[in-house]
Amino acid sequence: MPILTGGQVMPGNGIPTSAFTKAGALAANNFAGQCVVGSLAIDTSAGVLYICTATNGTTTATWVTVGSQT
């Protein structure tokens, strides 16, 4: 059986499963059109993790802080 190496795991909707990154706190609509509900994003300045809780798939995205990292 062949072994696959490298590449990027893609869910059925074609959105990459790796976390988004941004220096600074996320604001409404950051990564809109690129994220799906459940996507993760990391504030690389403060080390805060966010999860997308709502999106229309094109122009809006809602992010909330995961846990008590604030």
Side-chain angles (χ1 to χ4, degrees):
M1 175 188 304
I3 297 173
L4 300 176
T5 60
Q8 185 174 19
V9 176
M10 302 288 279
N13 59 9
I15 303 290
T17 56
S18 57
F20 295 98
T21 57
K22 177 185 176 198
L26 266 67
N29 305 326
N30 281 159
F31 305 112
Q34 302 171 41
C35 65
V36 295
V37 172
S39 291
L40 300 175
I42 302 167
D43 170 357
T44 57
S45 297
V48 175
L49 179 65
Y50 295 84
I51 189 167
C52 178
T53 57
T55 179
N56 70 359
T58 55
T59 59
T60 64
T62 303
W63 296 94
V64 296
T65 305
V66 175
S68 58
Q69 305 158 38
T70 57

